[in-house]
Amino acid sequence: MQLYGVLGNPIAHSKSPMIHAMFARNCGIDLEYKAFCLAKDNFEGELAELIHQGLLGANVTVPFKENAFRFAHELTAEAIEAGAVNTLRFSDDKFIGHNTDGNGLLCDLVDRHHLVLANKRILVLGAGGATKGILGPLLRANPSEIMISNRTHEKAVRLAEDFNQKGNINACEWQNLSGRFDLIINATSSSLSNEFTPLPCEIDASTIGYDLMYGTKPTIFMEYLAENGAEKSFDGLGMLVEQAALSFEFWHGIKPKTEMVYQDLRQVLLSYTADC
Ligand code: ATR
């Protein structure tokens, strides 16, 4: 049986084994996909042991995406642009590092939620690894501008400089944000701490929100936008499923259908709420 898995720490709550089991069943591929919790100080050693046991490919999540970037022998253009690896494929004794996060977000925004990004003004909140992973694919969708804003302003400035050859991208201090954005993407980890610093820019009924995080209920960012009049916000569950589908395609050469898997996963999340 082919062995795949997701590498992280912590990893117990990962939905990836469920997602990949559904993809494999739907595509008629026989594989085993497990969650592996690796020691934070021994990523390389423990991954080498898993490869020895026959691991053919892996998703990589927090906190190992940069370790995987350094570990890979070859990197795809997407991984180089993101500076991080969320998908590893082992073939011919080589480890190829890839990144499907940004294109997964694009698939969710455009294919599932039918958003048009061309000529739109997009605000991205946060300037960490998650932001770096999505900027390239977002810029390729030809927005009129991407503005980055971050609690630590210098990091936003640096990221805007890193990507400014690829489109109109700027940084703005959070308290100086002004005007209207068509789409506001929360790529901060503020939802984890359940606190959100108010945004001084305009928010109206047609402002669309997207949080890369997801949970059993709307995130604090989605609630903030709704309280301020935005009628539509999405969480990152769709991105999770889409980045997984792109990883699956990278390993198996088949792009699985995602809608049923997304709906099933949403039901699973809702059932957790009902249990509480
Ligand atoms: P990730 O890989 O998820 O992007 P990260 O690289 O640690 O994780 O980045 C976390 C991002 O969330 C950063 O932009 C961080 O802001 P700082 O650069 O100032 O640290 C942002 N962040 C975390 N908690 C936040 C909060 N409560 N409010 C606003 N931004 C927050």
Side-chain angles (χ1 to χ4, degrees), residues 119-168:
N119 301 316
K120 296 291 163 66
R121 218 170 156 233
I122 301 176
L123 171 61
V124 178
L125 303 172
T131 298
K132 195 167 176 196
I134 63 174
L135 288 178
L138 280 176
L139 283 165
R140 280 189 285 283
N142 289 319
S144 60
E145 180 181 24
I146 292 182
M147 186 69 81
I148 314 176
S149 198
N150 189 48
R151 186 173 59 181
T152 312
H153 180 57
E154 304 76 61
K155 284 168 68 181
V157 172
R158 227 173 301 138
L159 263 191
E161 281 169 5
D162 288 349
F163 281 85
N164 72 8
Q165 299 295 313
K166 297 182 178 179
N168 183 20

Side-chain angles (χ1 to χ4, degrees), residues 70-272:
R70 290 190 294 272
F71 185 83
H73 292 123
E74 274 179 27
L75 294 165
T76 63
E78 290 85 349
I80 292 168
E81 187 172 56
V85 158
N86 82 333
T87 309
L88 281 170
R89 185 175 73 200
F90 309 110
S91 48
D92 302 329
D93 277 341
K94 270 189 318 212
F95 314 116
I96 303 170
H98 184 38
N99 196 305
T100 63
D101 285 330
N103 284 325
L105 171 66
L106 256 284
C107 287
D108 194 39
L109 290 173
V110 175
D111 299 339
R112 174 164 297 103
H113 300 305
H114 308 294
L115 302 187
V116 175
L117 304 181
N119 301 316
K120 296 291 163 66
R121 218 170 156 233
I122 301 176
L123 171 61
V124 178
L125 303 172
T131 298
K132 195 167 176 196
I134 63 174
L135 288 178
L138 280 176
L139 283 165
R140 280 189 285 283
N142 289 319
S144 60
E145 180 181 24
I146 292 182
M147 186 69 81
I148 314 176
S149 198
N150 189 48
R151 186 173 59 181
T152 312
H153 180 57
E154 304 76 61
K155 284 168 68 181
V157 172
R158 227 173 301 138
L159 263 191
E161 281 169 5
D162 288 349
F163 281 85
N164 72 8
Q165 299 295 313
K166 297 182 178 179
N168 183 20
I169 180 163
N170 299 293
C172 179
E173 290 192 53
W174 197 292
Q175 66 272 20
N176 294 337
L177 285 168
S178 63
R180 184 184 174 281
F181 295 92
D182 300 287
L183 172 65
I184 306 179
I185 298 176
N186 183 26
T188 74
S189 41
S190 58
S191 299
L192 294 176
S193 57
N194 218 29
E195 53 184 33
F196 186 78
T197 308
L199 290 168
C201 55
E202 290 166 29
I203 295 168
D204 60 30
S206 60
T207 306
I208 292 175
Y210 192 101
D211 200 324
L212 300 195
M213 301 253 165
Y214 65 89
T216 53
K217 57 184 178 55
T219 65
I220 185 162
F221 162 75
M222 294 164 73
E223 279 173 353
Y224 173 82
L225 285 191
E227 281 160 14
N228 286 277
E231 287 178 358
K232 239 192 244 175
S233 285
F234 306 105
D235 70 8
L237 190 70
M239 174 179 172
L240 175 78
V241 175
E242 297 303 328
Q243 62 79 30
L246 293 169
S247 297
F248 191 95
E249 184 181 23
F250 186 63
W251 296 322
H252 308 294
I254 303 172
K255 175 100 194 298
K257 291 202 162 54
T258 55
E259 190 54 28
M260 292 258 286
V261 173
Y262 170 76
Q263 296 296 346
D264 283 359
L265 219 56
R266 181 67 71 195
Q267 289 310 313
V268 169
L269 282 184
L270 289 172
S271 72
Y272 293 160

Side-chain angles (χ1 to χ4, degrees), residues 1-5 15-34 59 241 244-249 251-258 260-262 264:
M1 177 102 74
Q2 302 180 47
L3 179 62
Y4 291 84
K15 303 283 176 291
S16 293
M18 199 188 293
I19 294 171
H20 281 275
M22 291 194 258
F23 286 162
R25 205 168 42 241
N26 296 345
C27 294
I29 293 177
D30 201 16
L31 61 80
E32 193 173 4
Y33 185 107
K34 290 181 174 175
N59 286 122
V241 175
L246 293 169
S247 297
F248 191 95
E249 184 181 23
W251 296 322
H252 308 294
I254 303 172
K255 175 100 194 298
K257 291 202 162 54
T258 55
M260 292 258 286
V261 173
Y262 170 76
D264 283 359

